[in-house]
Amino acid sequence: MQEKWWHNAVVYQVYPKSFKDSNGDGIGDLPGITSKLDYLAKLGITAIWLSPVYDSPMDDNGYDIANYQDIAAIFGTMEDMDELIAEAKKRDIRIIMDLVVNHTSDEHAWFIEARENPQSPERDYYIWRDEPNELESIFSGSAWQYDEKAGQYYLHFFSKKQPDLNWENEELRQKIYEMMNFWIDKGIGGFRMDVIDMIGKIPDEKVVNNGPMLHPYLKEMNQATFGGKDLLTVGETWGANPEEAKKYSNPEGQELSMVFQFEHICLQYQEGQPKWHYQKELNVGKLKEIFNKWQTELGVEDGWNSLFWNNHDLPRIVSIWGNDREYREKSAKAFAILLHLMRGTPYIYQGEEIGMTNYPFETLDQVEDIESINYAKEALEQGVPLEQIMDSIRVIGRDNARTPMQWDETKNAGFSDGQPWLAVNPNYEAINVQEALENPDSIFYTYQKLVNIRKENSWLVRADFELLETAEKVFAYIRKDGDCRFLVVANLSNQKQEFAVEESITSVLIANTDVKATIEQLTLAPWDAFCIELAK
Ligand code: TEU
Ligand code: CA
């Protein structure tokens, strides 16, 4: 295989609205991000995935784009964006832009023209029908919205303010590629592609994901834009299996660098149920099965995967699967150690590196996320008790990931001098960056060390993965490349567990516990996790 910079990268996701406010309006912004680059450089990350900062009415916090080549005023200006790219580059950090091209905002000039002028070329950039079918929006209700002006229904798989684009229109595709080249010319490091597996949809046949034209479009996009350039491209592909992932990421296929697949995350939901019927208790057996499948079936010659527990749509890992009370630090470190030594590119979501937790939402007016709000309205109409709705939102709602970044113990956690747009978690006095940097034992330094271990052991890119037979709640594996061998062990439970393997320890690379001189027979305390180098 040809090794690329992104095989060895660690990416940090920034959700701009919640990262750092520079001007006291309570909303994070681009100068705020630039002011924290030294912090990110200290963590050691190679790239930032920047959630959308484009001009937008913010119905879905920027995933509804009104102008792809302009910056939302709340985030700053194009000069601020250029400055962020340049300042990041000085620190060897690349900026990965969020590419949201399954839909636009209904305030995009294309849609305004399309709805007002049936004869315009833009009309066909969107998907119009005289009658709706049964397709449902991911944000509740029908996926079709009647438009008075247009006299037809348009398709929107997300909010009503996010009309789906019609990828069958060749002119539209060319416009998207031109826009991508505009950003590539600015010197960005790549693209994260929002719900990219939906662009090949055939609404009349109720085909939504993985439509037949999906891969042809991606090949066309690759040739027209980033192909041949040294960029990281990652597709958000919820339902991909290893075979699908190969189609996207096999270098010969000339599509993307890697995918985000969510099979492990789907263990947070009850099978076949909407996410609001969450499944809080982690099934470690299933988790092992899923990772084992991906680590062994997506070979290093076949393609590439990403590794993540968190993003801006998901609950905090330490709250849903860890123990955010008596074992907050330990369980946060255990999930980090377990994940970052696997094959794939690790992603860290802002605040994960200090063990930020879910927010104790109590009332609906504390909630800002359109997905949660639409769900709550629909569920209330159906007679679901409010307390049950709030329980779902507390455990699995997207705002859990979006509360302001906790920088220090001062007012508003040092996020803003003004009133933050979403409440700061009340635990910020104990959980914040300043505290983490001062404490050599903090979760932050576990992440920093993991980033370094990957940098210093580039054989981890190629190494085989072998899952060990262990007690149910213990997840243990060996990475092996020639003489080099790492053993990773994590107890994913609140109980003691027994672990044994006939090996002697050469050196402990990282641990959240004291590892004894022999591991032939070991009693693991709750959430113990470590990586040791095995003798050659
Ligand atoms: O998410 C895709 C998506 O399907 C999510 O809505 C997901 O199912 C849900 O949030 C899980 O809780 C992407 C973005 O990451 C998300 O923020 C956007 O809202 C969505 O696309 C529309 O652009
Ligand atoms: Ca601001």
Side-chain angles (χ1 to χ4, degrees), residues 20-32 73-76 415-416:
K20 172 69 188 167
D21 175 22
S22 72
N23 61 356
D25 65 357
I27 301 173
D29 46 50
L30 290 168
I74 56 166
F75 293 141
F415 163 71
S416 173

Side-chain angles (χ1 to χ4, degrees), residues 512-524:
N512 67 359
T513 183
D514 278 337
V515 187
K516 308 281 170 339
T518 163
I519 52 174
E520 270 168 36
Q521 189 60 47
L522 205 65
T523 299
L524 303 171

Side-chain angles (χ1 to χ4, degrees), residues 60 63 103 139 192 194-195 236 275 312-313 371 398:
D60 187 18
Y63 283 89
H103 45 267
F139 290 170
R192 174 267 182 185
D194 194 62
V195 287
E236 187 196 23
K275 72 180 222 173
H312 63 292
D313 295 332
E371 185 189 48
R398 306 199 297 182

Side-chain angles (χ1 to χ4, degrees), residues 392-408:
S392 295
I393 289 175
R394 264 193 303 275
V395 175
I396 204 102
R398 306 199 297 182
D399 280 340
N400 286 302
R402 301 175 180 184
T403 61
M405 181 74 181
Q406 291 160 214
W407 292 104
D408 57 40

